[in-house]
Amino acid sequence: MPTGAAPGRLPNSTDVLVVGGGIVGCSLAYWLAQEGIEVVVIDRFDLNTQASGANAGSLHAQLQSSRARQTDPKMVESNNHVVKLGTPAIRLWQQLAKTLDTDIEVVVEGGLMIAENDEDRKMIEAKVKRENALGLEAEIISGNALRTIAPYLSDQALVAEFCPIEGRVNPIVATPAIVLAAQRHGARFFRHTELLSLEKLSDGYEAKTVRGSIRCKRLVNAAGPGGGKVAAMAGINVPVAGDFLHMNVTEAVEHFVPHLVQHARRKLTLKQASNGNFLLGGGWPAGPDPKTGLPSVNRASLEQNLWMSIQVVPALRNTRLIRTWAGINISLDGMPLLGPVPGHPNFHFALVVTGYTLGPFCAQLVADKLMGRAPVMDISPYSVERFG
Amino acid sequence: MRVKGHGINVVAKEIDVTFNGQVVKALEGETVAASLTAAGKLSLRQTKAGSRRGIFCGMGVCNECLVAINGQQNIRACMTTVKPGMRIEEQTYPGKLPGPDTPYLAEPPVSDPPVHKPDVLVIGGGPAGLQAAKAAAKSGCQVVVIDERPALGGQYFKQLSKTHAFDSDDSMDKQFRAGRDLIREVEGLGVKIMREAMVWGAFGPQDIAVFADGKSQVFEPKQLVVATGAYERGVPVPGWTLPGYMTTGAAQTLLRSYRVSPGKRVILGGNGPLNIQVAYELTRAGVEVVAVVEAAPKPGIGQAGNLMRMAVESPDLVRDGITYTRTLKNANVPILYDHVIIEARGEGKVETAVIARLTPNGEPIQGTQREFKVDAICVGFGFQPSADVSRPLGCRHHYDAKKGTLTIETDANCQTSVPGVFVAGDSGGMGGSRAAQEQGFIAGCAAARGAGRTLPSDVEAELARRKGKLGSHLRFQAALWDVFKAPRWMHELAREDTLVCRCEEVTLGQINQAFGTGIDTVGGIKRQTRAGMGRCQGRYCGPVMTHLQSLINGQPTEEFSFFAPRPPIKPVPIAALARKPADA
Ligand SMILES: Cc1cc2nc3c(=O)[nH]c(=O)nc-3n(C[C@H](O)[C@H](O)[C@H](O)COP(=O)(O)OP(=O)(O)OC[C@H]3O[C@@H](n4cnc5c(N)ncnc54)[C@H](O)[C@@H]3O)c2cc1C
Ligand code: FES
């Protein structure tokens, strides 16, 4: 039985302390521990409970439609940087699916973005050109070709962008599998260990938590929506916030939708999970409960997301909604925030705002940096320096 | 098997339906569950792992009785009325994609859901809800009662279905009669009654979403009375998912409403007087009951005080109890005190029940096992209040460690911590049908006042009388449960390979293993094992897992230990809920 995650005592010191036990913090611990680096992960709650345990598990590579419409040059540039991350990130998931000894349900059958009118068609055509230029494989398909690969689409779907690298993973299986693998390499995880304050030392930090203090040489902020607070403890200001998002889940039906389906105009992501349930989302808002501050479900989001879903896949009308949930997502300026901080040599960021998809890959970029290796791609665009 | 009744006759037409292609004789107007059970068809669906399931709760909660009807998938047999020519099939997993000729479950709405604004909305048409509706209507309120079942009455006042009729009023027992009278009275008061209507979401006290007639509708009542009752606690034992293993409540509904017995040779077990009553009713209907297995010790001299108190508070109920036990004795049906059913065995359905004697601590004693050949096992271990409307509304609850259940906090008027929201009856705790009626009436009066009405003098008088009687009922209940005091099993009777989560098929061993990795919250276990993610939404496994969590992390159980309450309260067809965005 793995014991690294069991209560136990927080050690007095470690080389790397990771704050946040979501996909980013956990996979970071995995990459580091594999190379023999001493690493401790702490989380305020259980592991994988926040965005990483409450997302839809879509493996996204193409630009979301709302982002593709952004014209502000700064946003256009950030979006381009995000597109570059998608393909290597999903390849890494495919590799993880082979190396981890649990089936983490990685399926890559491609993603479709549906256009129902001319304007939307033009949008996806321009998007495909832009993405191709950034190295992402994608193409426009329509008519019979579209019907052949996706006979489940409504007649209104005229044309679609097809992005073959897209797919899905099961986050509630994948993160724990990564944690287990990290533990096998000696990484230690401490749940219910909220960080209270950080004291800067000449050679690292002293981190005070609700379960005692721990010294570390390097500190990594992988605290997701809580990342702003953690940075502030070290005297660094970053505009991190949390967004509450809605998800619908249907009963299981036989498999008939292999793709990740999105819409060129409206909020929708739709896919069928391995066990046959459909996960329907796409960024519909959920509210924090005014009393508890916890995520709570919003009726309008629930209803409108379902409407969108049956517009695109009419056969879903005859299935039932069995569950919903509201999860917290991280909101920043649209780009991950990665790597060291000027003036704070022992503080590193690993905040991935653009999805579970990018978690392990971004963590790998940060891990390389921590190990003094050149990351596989230049991470300077994702640095905190962009906030000035 | 159909039973012949004392003064009860079949009045419905016999119709033909098919089950897996075979013709089954049904009575028009009964539930699909009743028709199939009468025909001895107990196995209704196949799970993902390929095992068989059948009726378990009999009240629409467990989702074990799913069948496909005319191509439509995942229909609850216990909540669906049978129609001539129905093509019923065992439900496979996952459901088939319905063909183009399959009628849709619901039509997508063309406009926003209709909104209703009654003075008082009562959720639940059992004893508590009916009394609440009566009190509020008599006080001049416009009242709507919503109930998911095809007929009013709830668990206690469930009526004989229209498939049968009594010879005369004299053939009716007083439970039927009191229920019928109350239903008639409420109907006569102009209360709007919506049957087969289900609250699927409680988004706020003035935002109650209801699924009825294939559509979603919204209620914005001035005042809300929640009287959603309770469902039986799930106590996992090896074999408890076999078709033929069902709750005592499910068996009673089959018998009282449809004159169908769950089997030819039946054993009942668990804890509490309901098992004895249903054993009596089955025996009288000519069914062979092999034993009633009761976890509590046989009431002896030490219980004289409690028995006396019960006789003082409700002498008629004590007399009923004596009739039940005497009838069972005369029919040679043993009541085995200090015993529990520890296992159900069989190939694809119940064939054998294994029982064992208990130590004073409630542990089955090795070597005392006995086996009974049966075709149905009915178990009742007490109830779990349905907090599925009160929790999402944010009403304060606390964990009652003695009962092992989440209990609502209310004031003397049954008002919860959320103003304008009242909870009455079993959904607020467990006080039996009499206390439920008094509470319902009290809540109905308070709701009427909340809606700005002044109570007429006869209502005031009845309110005073009922408030006075409530204490007596609660004293009776306290004494009763002291007599039936027994161990509160959660996971203790399960083995490592026993399913705790029936829907997602997660065993105790898998849950323990997940806890062993350091996860120490039910939410974490749910994500890790899928336990609690199924169609019943953790209603049976949730309390067991919450209990395990408190054993593991040493923290006392409290409201937030349970799964977060999220819509839909029960599964609903997507097309009924879908709503066009304003800008589309
Ligand atoms: C509904 C929804 C759907 C989504 N769908 C997708 C999708 O389909 N595909 C996709 O790729 N992405 C999706 N995402 C986004 C994705 O889930 C996140 O981007 C990703 O999980 C971020 O991982 P993380 O580890 O950085 O953050 P998180 O998973 O949020 O982890 C951060 C952890 O830090 C802990 N923490 C915070 N502050 C402190 C403190 N002071 N002390 C100790 N611990 C602290 C938190 O408790 C938390 O566990 C979705 C998100 C949501 C909400
Ligand atoms: S038996 Fe029908 S839902 Fe439980």
Side-chain angles (χ1 to χ4, degrees):
Chain A
M1 200 85 323
T3 50
R9 269 201 36 197
L10 196 62
N12 294 328
S13 70
T14 178
D15 179 354
V16 178
L17 177 66
V18 178
V19 184
I23 183 59
V24 178
C26 294
S27 50
L28 180 63
Y30 177 50
W31 304 129
L32 292 174
Q34 252 185 359
E35 300 295 323
I37 293 182
E38 186 190 27
V39 54
V40 167
V41 179
I42 59 171
D43 199 291
R44 173 159 50 134
F45 304 117
D46 204 335
L47 302 176
N48 206 40
T49 59
Q50 302 297 293
S52 297
N55 71 83
S58 306
L59 293 176
H60 287 292
Q62 58 175 304
L63 256 188
Q64 282 161 356
S65 54
S66 57
R67 286 173 160 245
R69 287 200 165 80
Q70 286 169 332
T71 49
D72 170 2
K74 225 179 124 227
M75 287 314 295
V76 170
E77 203 196 319
S78 341
N79 290 336
N80 288 348
H81 285 305
V82 171
V83 170
K84 286 187 208 153
L85 295 168
T87 307
I90 296 175
R91 294 243 161 85
L92 186 58
W93 273 116
Q94 290 176 302
Q95 205 180 311
L96 278 168
K98 282 193 207 119
T99 44
L100 296 170
D101 43 40
T102 315
D103 176 11
I104 58 171
E105 299 173 23
V106 169
V107 174
V108 174
E109 298 260 7
L112 287 167
M113 186 177 284
I114 308 302
E116 295 178 332
N117 59 34
D118 243 28
E119 196 193 326
D120 290 354
R121 178 180 54 79
K122 284 191 197 120
M123 190 281 280
I124 57 172
E125 281 167 0
K127 188 162 92 80
V128 165
K129 280 211 192 86
R130 174 176 168 193
E131 288 165 343
N132 288 164
L134 291 163
L136 176 67
E137 211 184 308
E139 60 180 320
I140 295 290
I141 47 173
S142 59
N144 275 344
L146 180 58
R147 289 288 167 282
T148 308
I149 70 158
Y152 54 82
L153 288 176
S154 95
D155 297 342
Q156 256 112 61
L158 299 174
V159 44
E161 169 177 353
F162 180 64
C163 177
I165 189 77
E166 293 195 312
R168 59 180 158 85
V169 59
N170 187 342
I172 60 177
V173 182
T175 315
I178 290 172
V179 170
L180 262 168
Q183 282 172 340
R184 256 183 237 128
H185 286 105
R188 284 171 292 176
F189 293 82
F190 293 86
R191 299 159 155 98
H192 308 292
T193 307
E194 182 172 3
L195 179 67
L196 299 172
S197 67
L198 286 174
E199 191 188 330
K200 200 166 180 173
L201 309 173
S202 57
D203 58 345
Y205 286 94
E206 164 123 16
K208 233 209 221 140
T209 80
V210 292
R211 298 179 55 199
S213 291
I214 176 169
R215 276 166 183 252
C216 63
K217 297 205 182 88
R218 276 107 37 103
L219 184 117
V220 183
N221 177 357
K229 242 170 118 182
V230 171
M233 291 178 193
I236 305 162
N237 266 328
V238 281
V240 186
D243 273 339
F244 290 93
L245 298 180
H246 180 87
M247 288 296 311
N248 283 318
V249 188
T250 73
E251 62 193 356
V253 287
E254 57 189 334
H255 278 269
F256 72 105
V257 176
H259 308 114
L260 168 63
V261 182
Q262 290 180 268
H263 194 268
R265 172 169 301 270
R266 302 189 173 279
K267 292 195 281 257
L268 175 71
T269 61
L270 178 157
K271 66 183 168 300
Q272 191 169 16
S274 294
N275 53 14
N277 307 82
F278 275 83
L279 303 180
L280 311 171
W284 293 87
D289 183 282
K291 263 185 265 160
T292 59
L294 296 172
S296 77
V297 165
N298 167 323
R299 181 159 65 84
S301 287
L302 182 157
E303 294 167 338
Q304 296 177 19
N305 174 232
L306 293 178
W307 186 85
M308 264 316 296
S309 305
I310 60 180
Q311 283 304 104
V312 174
V313 181
L316 279 177
R317 317 197 319 180
N318 231 346
T319 58
R320 292 173 188 78
L321 177 72
I322 64 164
R323 276 191 294 135
T324 59
W325 81 79
I328 188 164
N329 199 12
I330 303 130
S331 85
L332 195 59
D333 63 344
M335 260 209 298
L337 175 50
L338 307 177
V341 182
H344 301 264
N346 301 316
F347 191 99
H348 298 256
F349 276 111
L351 298 179
V352 182
V353 296
T354 35
Y356 192 80
T357 307
L358 305 186
F361 182 64
C362 288
Q364 200 174 51
L365 297 175
V366 174
D368 282 339
K369 203 80 187 169
L370 283 165
M371 292 184 285
R373 301 199 290 223
V376 293
M377 60 189 269
D378 174 22
I379 68 166
S380 60
Y382 312 103
S383 156
V384 70
E385 285 176 76
R386 67 180 187 264
F387 296 110
Chain B
M1 145 180 139
R2 296 201 190 270
V3 300
K4 298 257 163 19
H6 301 264
I8 301 177
N9 307 307
V10 174
V11 294
K13 207 165 70 199
E14 200 178 68
I15 56 173
D16 282 351
V17 298
T18 61
F19 182 64
N20 289 345
Q22 243 183 321
V23 174
V24 166
K25 299 277 175 210
L27 294 179
E28 186 158 28
E30 68 187 357
T31 58
V32 172
S35 313
L36 294 177
T37 308
K41 312 277 182 213
L42 296 182
S43 168
L44 305 185
R45 76 173 181 106
Q46 278 184 46
T47 66
K48 188 176 180 188
S51 67
R52 309 280 163 155
R53 296 289 167 81
I55 298 163
F56 178 65
C57 73
M59 54 191 280
V61 170
C62 73
N63 280 272
E64 291 286 31
C65 62
L66 301 179
V67 289
I69 297 181
N70 300 338
Q72 286 185 343
Q73 305 290 299
N74 294 322
I75 312 270
R76 288 172 301 174
C78 71
M79 301 299 278
T80 307
T81 321
V82 74
K83 303 257 159 47
M86 263 185 176
R87 190 163 45 82
I88 308 165
E89 278 154 313
E90 192 180 39
Q91 179 66 51
T92 52
Y93 184 97
K96 294 198 184 70
L97 198 60
D101 51 342
T102 308
Y104 280 115
L105 291 166
E107 282 300 317
V110 281
S111 56
D112 280 0
V115 175
H116 310 275
K117 301 184 179 189
D119 292 325
V120 178
L121 175 67
V122 179
I123 308 177
L130 289 170
Q131 289 290 357
K134 181 177 100 180
K138 279 185 155 181
S139 307
C141 290
Q142 192 203 339
V143 183
V144 177
V145 176
I146 284 180
D147 199 295
E148 191 189 355
R149 303 183 194 201
L152 288 181
Q155 273 304 89
Y156 184 76
F157 283 153
K158 53 195 163 210
Q159 297 291 295
L160 186 63
S161 95
K162 294 203 176 71
T163 49
H164 291 74
F166 294 101
D167 278 344
S168 71
D169 277 14
D170 299 335
S171 317
M172 235 185 240
D173 64 21
K174 64 179 186 206
Q175 192 171 335
F176 274 130
R177 194 171 315 135
R180 182 203 58 184
D181 293 348
L182 180 57
I183 293 167
R184 280 192 188 160
E185 188 179 3
V186 170
E187 283 170 340
L189 287 166
V191 169
K192 182 173 175 207
I193 293 164
M194 294 174 66
R195 296 177 184 81
E196 296 180 82
M198 171 180 95
V199 174
W200 66 267
F203 295 92
Q206 269 91 40
D207 188 356
I208 304 292
V210 173
F211 174 62
D213 295 332
K215 290 196 288 286
S216 183
Q217 322 191 3
V218 175
F219 281 82
E220 297 178 1
K222 285 199 189 119
Q223 304 278 301
L224 178 68
V225 180
V226 179
T228 45
Y231 60 93
E232 266 140 316
R233 279 188 345 112
V235 178
V237 304
W240 74 309
T241 53
L242 283 172
Y245 187 106
M246 67 183 73
T247 65
T248 304
Q252 196 190 32
T253 302
L254 287 171
L255 183 68
R256 280 185 78 85
S257 293
Y258 305 105
R259 308 301 295 159
V260 168
S261 166
K264 295 192 172 78
R265 276 172 63 84
V266 181
I267 192 167
L268 294 99
N271 172 226
L274 180 66
N275 297 319
I276 295 175
Q277 182 186 341
V278 176
Y280 158 83
E281 289 169 346
L282 285 166
T283 304
R284 268 197 19 128
V287 177
E288 185 183 354
V289 175
V290 300
V292 180
V293 186
E294 170 55 55
K298 186 171 178 151
I301 265 312
Q303 290 291 2
N306 277 324
L307 294 170
M308 194 86 91
R309 197 158 311 124
M310 287 161 63
V312 169
E313 307 294 359
S314 289
D316 56 330
L317 293 183
V318 173
R319 269 197 306 278
D320 289 348
I322 293 169
T323 309
Y324 300 157
T325 45
R326 189 174 298 147
T327 309
L328 291 176
K329 193 163 179 207
N330 291 341
N332 288 321
V333 178
I335 302 179
L336 303 169
Y337 291 96
D338 274 326
H339 277 79
V340 69
I341 299 175
I342 55 165
E343 185 173 357
R345 288 192 203 135
E347 275 307 312
K349 62 178 173 28
V350 163
E351 289 162 4
T352 305
V354 186
I355 73 162
R357 179 183 282 285
L358 296 165
T359 66
N361 299 329
E363 283 150 30
I365 303 172
Q366 275 306 321
T368 63
Q369 284 92 330
R370 263 196 280 168
E371 295 184 9
F372 292 89
K373 291 278 165 232
V374 291
D375 53 8
I377 301 177
C378 307
V379 286
F381 282 98
F383 294 93
Q384 192 69 250
S386 295
D388 39 19
V389 173
S390 54
R391 285 191 72 211
L393 291 179
C395 303
R396 206 159 42 232
H397 297 71
H398 66 262
Y399 182 71
D400 182 333
K402 222 171 107 203
K403 289 180 177 159
T405 60
L406 204 55
T407 308
I408 186 86
E409 292 178 14
T410 53
D411 65 13
N413 285 323
C414 299
Q415 183 158 232
T416 67
S417 62
V418 178
V421 179
F422 302 82
V423 171
D426 279 8
S427 52
M430 284 143 290
S433 69
R434 294 191 174 182
Q437 291 187 69
E438 317 304 11
Q439 285 185 337
F441 197 88
I442 294 166
C445 290
R449 284 210 190 93
R453 301 298 193 288
T454 315
L455 305 187
S457 55
D458 60 328
V459 174
E460 281 282 11
E462 185 168 348
L463 176 62
R465 204 164 63 238
R466 289 188 180 272
K467 276 194 166 166
K469 280 204 272 178
L470 183 59
S472 162
H473 300 324
L474 295 177
R475 282 192 296 278
F476 175 88
Q477 286 289 326
L480 174 73
W481 285 105
D482 220 23
V483 171
F484 278 100
K485 195 153 140 197
R488 281 250 139 211
W489 289 290
M490 296 300 244
H491 66 288
E492 295 83 351
L493 299 176
R495 288 197 298 243
E496 288 283 291
D497 62 352
T498 305
L499 296 183
V500 169
C501 172
R502 302 173 61 107
C503 302
E504 293 289 326
E505 305 183 275
V506 186
T507 63
L508 179 64
Q510 287 167 316
I511 291 171
N512 279 337
Q513 193 187 357
F515 274 122
T517 64
I519 302 172
D520 58 0
T521 57
V522 287
I525 298 294
K526 180 174 177 177
R527 275 188 292 273
Q528 175 81 355
T529 64
R530 301 191 61 84
M533 286 196 186
R535 297 176 78 99
C536 90
Q537 284 147 335
R539 282 181 174 86
Y540 295 99
C541 64
V544 177
M545 286 162 62
T546 304
H547 174 71
L548 287 170
Q549 162 188 305
S550 72
L551 293 180
I552 278 157
N553 67 15
Q555 307 276 329
T557 305
E558 39 133 324
E559 179 173 359
F560 293 101
S561 312
F562 288 79
F563 293 141
R566 297 268 185 261
I569 290 171
K570 306 228 172 110
V572 204
I574 280 182
L577 306 184
R579 180 151 63 105
K580 198 171 175 175
D583 61 345

